[in-house]
């Protein structure tokens, strides 16, 4: 592994916490509804959701460092900004889910592209963004197929999940990649 | 001309594509409605709309390079970010058109100023932004006067067009100026 | 005083003008309602509101320069961007006040963190942000207690004011701090 156990744990915890905050917004707004009543819940989320997001964050971070050398010179402020950006986008999706799908999707896609262009990171970050944009929605489609959760009828046109969901995961992949770079840049040399 | 035919064509195509995406959001949300039923339509737009936006983009790019030397060192990522920013703002206008006019207008104006401050570009970019902010709404007021299209009654207080429309065009002018600089910076020297 | 009378006056005027613009959005959207009918009004605001915001802006600026040396190299464009960012956030609060409190609060908090991470400024700016985040809402809670104004019932869960109000003031503190740095950087040496 390119990330140490401690670094993987940090990414897992950041991802799980972010997933909890973002998912609470989706549940409170009515964007998504859990149908699973057998799993224990944490705040508004079934326990497995923040665990999956935490695992995805750590996996994307590991993937990032395997794809190439990380950029130097990151500070924690850049990491905080990146986390805030994707959580703001997560909240935007909660607030626009019942707006007309066209402009809502355009807004989320363009904000995701803006976050990616802002964070940069070249081809490795792009691969992480695209991997997240494919795997994340695929996992959520499976969750919907298994009747564990559902999206509101105004936001379920992508095989049961929202059309803007790949864009949200795309931004998430960029942020996870940047956090891995930040962790690598903080290592004593 | 300061831009080559190929560069003008690139700007035309980028502008026309962006106009189509943004306009689809306006039509789908109900911000604007086409009354013209004689022109062929492309997606949600009357054919003349993306053509006008494409011509405006190429004209602003040419204007930019006539106003002064362009900044060096642009990469395509900066161009993608700029395009994403103005399309995000376009989508915001589609989503807030039926909100109270005061805060909706403040939001769009301040986001446009933020985009302009972010892109920078000095006096030449400012001239492009102001030119777009005047000519664009004037053209749309004419379109409304000719009964070719109309704005929703919640967003028609500026001679039939939305009060936030100059701000959207202002940001558009900055982005067109930056794209022209980007094209100039990519020329082989 | 670390700021001259002229610099304090500039900060007062910028703050008062920003307060007027932002507050007009709150009143027009219905986020807040003035119950005070004895004070003269300016635009949508009771006269004391912009005065308080102007005094807070000047005080935060003075606090900033007492906390440490200011960064060099600011230009007016950075100041304009900072002002636009906090006024955009102010307008966002006016537009989301009747949305579900969870995602609305997450959005405002994350955008405030993003503005702070973008502006930077280290510990002195953080202190200004935190001071504003405590004193501002406390003053507004007092205003509500005195029956001079009230927040809509969908946005009054923090002792009568909105849960996102500290985040809005946090961003305001960062912007006031940056404007003070900008004024200091413009002094002839």
């Amino acid at each position: 592994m390119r990330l140490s156990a401690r670094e993987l744990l940090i990414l897992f915890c950041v991802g799980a916490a972010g997933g909890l905050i973002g998912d609470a917004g989706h549940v409170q707004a009515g964007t998504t509804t859990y149908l699973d009543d057998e799993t224990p819940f944490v705040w508004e989320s079934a326990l497995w959701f923040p665990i999956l997001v935490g695992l995805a964050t750590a996996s994307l971070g590991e993937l990032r460092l395997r794809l190439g050398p990380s950029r130097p010179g990151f500070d924690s402020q850049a990491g905080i900004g990146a986390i805030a950006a994707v959580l703001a986008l997560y909240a935007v999706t909660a607030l626009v889910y019942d707006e007309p799908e066209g402009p809502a999707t355009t807004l989320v896609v363009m904000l995701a592209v803006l976050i990616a262009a802002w964070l940069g990171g070249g081809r490795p970050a792009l691969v992480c963004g695209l991997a997240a944009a494919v795997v994340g929605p695929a996992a959520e489609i499976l969750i919907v197929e298994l009747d564990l959760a559902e999206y509101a009828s105004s936001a379920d046109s992508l095989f049961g999940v929202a059309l803007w969901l790949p864009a949200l995961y795309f931004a998430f992949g960029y942020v996870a990649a940047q956090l891995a770079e930040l962790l690598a840049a903080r290592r004593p040399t």
Side-chain angles (χ1 to χ4, degrees), chain A residues 92-164:
Chain A
V92 165
T93 64
L95 294 173
V96 303
Y97 83 91
D98 54 355
E99 298 281 347
E101 192 177 50
T105 304
T106 300
L107 178 62
V108 176
V109 168
M110 294 306 156
L111 291 177
V113 171
L114 199 51
I115 290 171
W118 169 53
L119 295 179
R123 186 178 300 267
L126 179 61
V127 171
C128 290
L130 292 175
V134 170
V135 176
E140 292 214 23
I141 289 167
L142 187 64
I143 287 166
V144 168
E145 288 296 316
L146 293 171
D147 284 330
L148 295 174
E150 66 177 6
Y151 274 77
S153 61
S154 58
D156 69 350
S157 63
L158 183 69
F159 305 107
V161 306
L163 199 52
W164 40 253

Side-chain angles (χ1 to χ4, degrees), chain A residues 23-112:
Chain A
D23 196 42
H26 273 182
V27 171
Q28 288 167 7
T31 316
T32 55
T33 307
Y34 281 100
L35 305 175
D36 170 15
D37 53 3
E38 297 183 13
T39 312
F41 270 61
V42 183
W43 196 6
E44 302 277 10
S45 306
L47 181 59
W48 44 262
F49 184 78
I51 292 176
L52 286 176
V53 178
L55 290 173
T57 309
S59 305
L60 286 163
E62 177 67 22
L63 172 64
R64 170 62 191 81
L65 295 193
R66 283 169 188 250
L67 288 170
S70 65
R71 291 172 288 175
F74 275 107
D75 57 5
S76 56
Q77 199 165 320
I80 291 170
I83 294 169
V86 74
L87 287 179
L89 185 61
Y90 211 146
V92 165
T93 64
L95 294 173
V96 303
Y97 83 91
D98 54 355
E99 298 281 347
E101 192 177 50
T105 304
T106 300
L107 178 62
V108 176
V109 168
M110 294 306 156
L111 291 177

